[in-house]
Amino acid sequence: MTIKYVQPGAWNSRAVIHGDTAWLSGTVADDKTASMKDQTAQILAKIDSVLAGIGSDKTRILSAVVYLADMDQKDAMNEAWMAWMDKDHPPARAAVGVTLTPGTLVEIMVQAAV
């Protein structure tokens, strides 16, 4: 079975596809001055774009890991997540508090069926 590397860069690929599953790299917002909710919305739009480019969409997300720089802001992230998520196809998800690069409040990594 082949492995497809989507938008490979110097140190990672935007996504890697093996069989019928895609693993997306951690995605962050471009605007580091935005709030937690707005950074999350930016990230989710980027994830939508990558998924569309590989023939998938958010209804096919199997799991997600959300990395938060401040767990006290989890509710703000969840506002954006719940507005975006397809209510009939909720993926398995975990939210983890971590140290992220300066200005990055949230990073999201997903796996999806293709």
Side-chain angles (χ1 to χ4, degrees), residues 1 20 37 45 49 59 66 69 80 84 86-87 92 97 100 109 112:
M1 199 173 286
D20 295 332
K37 182 177 179 181
S49 178
T59 68
V66 180
W84 169 80
D86 184 291
K87 307 297 186 273
L100 296 171
M109 187 173 190

PDB file of all heavy atoms in Angstrom, residues 1 20 37 45 49 59 66 69 80 84 86-87 92 97 100 109 112:
ATOM      1  N   MET A   1       0.848  -1.168   0.000  1.00  0.00           N
ATOM      2  CA  MET A   1       0.000   0.000   0.000  1.00  0.00           C
ATOM      3  C   MET A   1       0.903   1.243   0.000  1.00  0.00           C
ATOM      4  O   MET A   1       1.885   1.305   0.720  1.00  0.00           O
ATOM      5  CB  MET A   1      -0.899  -0.021   1.237  1.00  0.00           C
ATOM      6  CG  MET A   1      -2.106   0.862   1.107  1.00  0.00           C
ATOM      7  SD  MET A   1      -3.264   0.689   2.488  1.00  0.00           S
ATOM      8  CE  MET A   1      -4.021  -0.874   2.140  1.00  0.00           C
ATOM      9  N   ASP A  20      -7.025   4.338   3.505  1.00  0.00           N
ATOM     10  CA  ASP A  20      -8.183   5.228   3.539  1.00  0.00           C
ATOM     11  C   ASP A  20      -8.147   6.203   4.705  1.00  0.00           C
ATOM     12  O   ASP A  20      -9.183   6.731   5.101  1.00  0.00           O
ATOM     13  CB  ASP A  20      -9.471   4.391   3.632  1.00  0.00           C
ATOM     14  CG  ASP A  20      -9.706   3.544   2.390  1.00  0.00           C
ATOM     15  OD1 ASP A  20      -9.234   3.959   1.314  1.00  0.00           O
ATOM     16  OD2 ASP A  20     -10.343   2.490   2.500  1.00  0.00           O
ATOM     17  N   LYS A  37     -10.790  31.760  20.832  1.00  0.00           N
ATOM     18  CA  LYS A  37     -11.921  31.383  19.973  1.00  0.00           C
ATOM     19  C   LYS A  37     -11.608  31.679  18.512  1.00  0.00           C
ATOM     20  O   LYS A  37     -11.864  30.847  17.635  1.00  0.00           O
ATOM     21  CB  LYS A  37     -13.180  32.133  20.416  1.00  0.00           C
ATOM     22  CG  LYS A  37     -14.411  31.767  19.618  1.00  0.00           C
ATOM     23  CD  LYS A  37     -15.650  32.477  20.123  1.00  0.00           C
ATOM     24  CE  LYS A  37     -16.869  32.116  19.297  1.00  0.00           C
ATOM     25  NZ  LYS A  37     -18.069  32.816  19.772  1.00  0.00           N
ATOM     26  N   ALA A  45     -10.928  26.342   9.850  1.00  0.00           N
ATOM     27  CA  ALA A  45     -11.071  26.677   8.426  1.00  0.00           C
ATOM     28  C   ALA A  45      -9.900  26.093   7.625  1.00  0.00           C
ATOM     29  O   ALA A  45     -10.102  25.585   6.506  1.00  0.00           O
ATOM     30  CB  ALA A  45     -11.144  28.191   8.248  1.00  0.00           C
ATOM     31  N   SER A  49      -9.996  23.175   4.627  1.00  0.00           N
ATOM     32  CA  SER A  49      -9.332  23.317   3.336  1.00  0.00           C
ATOM     33  C   SER A  49      -8.451  22.117   3.014  1.00  0.00           C
ATOM     34  O   SER A  49      -8.485  21.593   1.889  1.00  0.00           O
ATOM     35  CB  SER A  49      -8.502  24.611   3.331  1.00  0.00           C
ATOM     36  OG  SER A  49      -7.816  24.748   2.116  1.00  0.00           O
ATOM     37  N   THR A  59     -16.946  15.708   8.438  1.00  0.00           N
ATOM     38  CA  THR A  59     -17.820  14.601   8.848  1.00  0.00           C
ATOM     39  C   THR A  59     -17.070  13.277   8.860  1.00  0.00           C
ATOM     40  O   THR A  59     -17.592  12.279   9.351  1.00  0.00           O
ATOM     41  CB  THR A  59     -19.058  14.470   7.936  1.00  0.00           C
ATOM     42  OG1 THR A  59     -18.647  14.037   6.632  1.00  0.00           O
ATOM     43  CG2 THR A  59     -19.836  15.767   7.859  1.00  0.00           C
ATOM     44  N   VAL A  66      -6.542  18.422  20.614  1.00  0.00           N
ATOM     45  CA  VAL A  66      -6.479  19.882  20.701  1.00  0.00           C
ATOM     46  C   VAL A  66      -5.453  20.216  21.778  1.00  0.00           C
ATOM     47  O   VAL A  66      -5.597  19.803  22.931  1.00  0.00           O
ATOM     48  CB  VAL A  66      -7.856  20.475  21.070  1.00  0.00           C
ATOM     49  CG1 VAL A  66      -7.775  21.989  21.151  1.00  0.00           C
ATOM     50  CG2 VAL A  66      -8.917  20.030  20.069  1.00  0.00           C
ATOM     51  N   ALA A  69      -2.622  26.194  25.073  1.00  0.00           N
ATOM     52  CA  ALA A  69      -1.596  26.858  25.870  1.00  0.00           C
ATOM     53  C   ALA A  69      -2.115  27.225  27.249  1.00  0.00           C
ATOM     54  O   ALA A  69      -1.335  27.357  28.197  1.00  0.00           O
ATOM     55  CB  ALA A  69      -1.093  28.113  25.142  1.00  0.00           C
ATOM     56  N   ALA A  80     -15.882  27.772  19.516  1.00  0.00           N
ATOM     57  CA  ALA A  80     -15.582  27.703  18.081  1.00  0.00           C
ATOM     58  C   ALA A  80     -15.733  26.274  17.568  1.00  0.00           C
ATOM     59  O   ALA A  80     -16.274  26.045  16.482  1.00  0.00           O
ATOM     60  CB  ALA A  80     -14.178  28.226  17.812  1.00  0.00           C
ATOM     61  N   TRP A  84     -18.503  24.811  14.671  1.00  0.00           N
ATOM     62  CA  TRP A  84     -17.955  24.233  13.439  1.00  0.00           C
ATOM     63  C   TRP A  84     -18.303  22.759  13.271  1.00  0.00           C
ATOM     64  O   TRP A  84     -18.611  22.310  12.172  1.00  0.00           O
ATOM     65  CB  TRP A  84     -16.430  24.408  13.464  1.00  0.00           C
ATOM     66  CG  TRP A  84     -15.670  23.668  12.418  1.00  0.00           C
ATOM     67  CD1 TRP A  84     -15.502  24.049  11.112  1.00  0.00           C
ATOM     68  CD2 TRP A  84     -14.960  22.441  12.570  1.00  0.00           C
ATOM     69  NE1 TRP A  84     -14.721  23.124  10.447  1.00  0.00           N
ATOM     70  CE2 TRP A  84     -14.378  22.128  11.334  1.00  0.00           C
ATOM     71  CE3 TRP A  84     -14.758  21.569  13.647  1.00  0.00           C
ATOM     72  CZ2 TRP A  84     -13.611  20.989  11.130  1.00  0.00           C
ATOM     73  CZ3 TRP A  84     -13.991  20.435  13.442  1.00  0.00           C
ATOM     74  CH2 TRP A  84     -13.429  20.154  12.195  1.00  0.00           C
ATOM     75  N   ASP A  86     -19.740  19.071  12.954  1.00  0.00           N
ATOM     76  CA  ASP A  86     -20.988  18.475  12.487  1.00  0.00           C
ATOM     77  C   ASP A  86     -21.561  17.673  13.650  1.00  0.00           C
ATOM     78  O   ASP A  86     -20.955  16.695  14.100  1.00  0.00           O
ATOM     79  CB  ASP A  86     -20.709  17.567  11.280  1.00  0.00           C
ATOM     80  CG  ASP A  86     -21.970  16.996  10.688  1.00  0.00           C
ATOM     81  OD1 ASP A  86     -22.597  16.149  11.354  1.00  0.00           O
ATOM     82  OD2 ASP A  86     -22.344  17.402   9.577  1.00  0.00           O
ATOM     83  N   LYS A  87     -22.709  18.074  14.134  1.00  0.00           N
ATOM     84  CA  LYS A  87     -23.301  17.464  15.336  1.00  0.00           C
ATOM     85  C   LYS A  87     -23.626  15.985  15.165  1.00  0.00           C
ATOM     86  O   LYS A  87     -23.688  15.247  16.140  1.00  0.00           O
ATOM     87  CB  LYS A  87     -24.587  18.215  15.740  1.00  0.00           C
ATOM     88  CG  LYS A  87     -24.432  19.719  15.908  1.00  0.00           C
ATOM     89  CD  LYS A  87     -23.476  20.109  17.008  1.00  0.00           C
ATOM     90  CE  LYS A  87     -23.441  21.594  17.253  1.00  0.00           C
ATOM     91  NZ  LYS A  87     -22.542  22.369  16.457  1.00  0.00           N
ATOM     92  N   ALA A  92     -13.849  11.380  18.028  1.00  0.00           N
ATOM     93  CA  ALA A  92     -13.216  11.214  19.327  1.00  0.00           C
ATOM     94  C   ALA A  92     -12.271  12.410  19.476  1.00  0.00           C
ATOM     95  O   ALA A  92     -11.638  12.829  18.497  1.00  0.00           O
ATOM     96  CB  ALA A  92     -12.435   9.903  19.366  1.00  0.00           C
ATOM     97  N   GLY A  97      -3.354  20.385  27.831  1.00  0.00           N
ATOM     98  CA  GLY A  97      -2.614  21.612  28.126  1.00  0.00           C
ATOM     99  C   GLY A  97      -1.136  21.399  27.873  1.00  0.00           C
ATOM    100  O   GLY A  97      -0.539  20.439  28.363  1.00  0.00           O
ATOM    101  N   LEU A 100       3.106  26.011  24.078  1.00  0.00           N
ATOM    102  CA  LEU A 100       3.175  26.223  22.628  1.00  0.00           C
ATOM    103  C   LEU A 100       4.093  27.409  22.334  1.00  0.00           C
ATOM    104  O   LEU A 100       4.480  28.137  23.242  1.00  0.00           O
ATOM    105  CB  LEU A 100       1.767  26.481  22.072  1.00  0.00           C
ATOM    106  CG  LEU A 100       0.784  25.318  22.194  1.00  0.00           C
ATOM    107  CD1 LEU A 100      -0.630  25.758  21.830  1.00  0.00           C
ATOM    108  CD2 LEU A 100       1.218  24.156  21.313  1.00  0.00           C
ATOM    109  N   MET A 109      -4.660  18.735  15.800  1.00  0.00           N
ATOM    110  CA  MET A 109      -4.213  17.664  14.915  1.00  0.00           C
ATOM    111  C   MET A 109      -5.363  16.686  14.745  1.00  0.00           C
ATOM    112  O   MET A 109      -5.996  16.303  15.736  1.00  0.00           O
ATOM    113  CB  MET A 109      -3.000  16.963  15.545  1.00  0.00           C
ATOM    114  CG  MET A 109      -2.325  15.971  14.707  1.00  0.00           C
ATOM    115  SD  MET A 109      -0.809  15.441  15.563  1.00  0.00           S
ATOM    116  CE  MET A 109      -0.056  14.532  14.240  1.00  0.00           C
ATOM    117  N   ALA A 112      -8.439  11.561   9.689  1.00  0.00           N
ATOM    118  CA  ALA A 112      -9.733  11.474   8.994  1.00  0.00           C
ATOM    119  C   ALA A 112      -9.738  10.350   7.980  1.00  0.00           C
ATOM    120  O   ALA A 112      -8.707   9.992   7.409  1.00  0.00           O
ATOM    121  CB  ALA A 112     -10.030  12.794   8.284  1.00  0.00           C
TER     122      ALA A 112
END
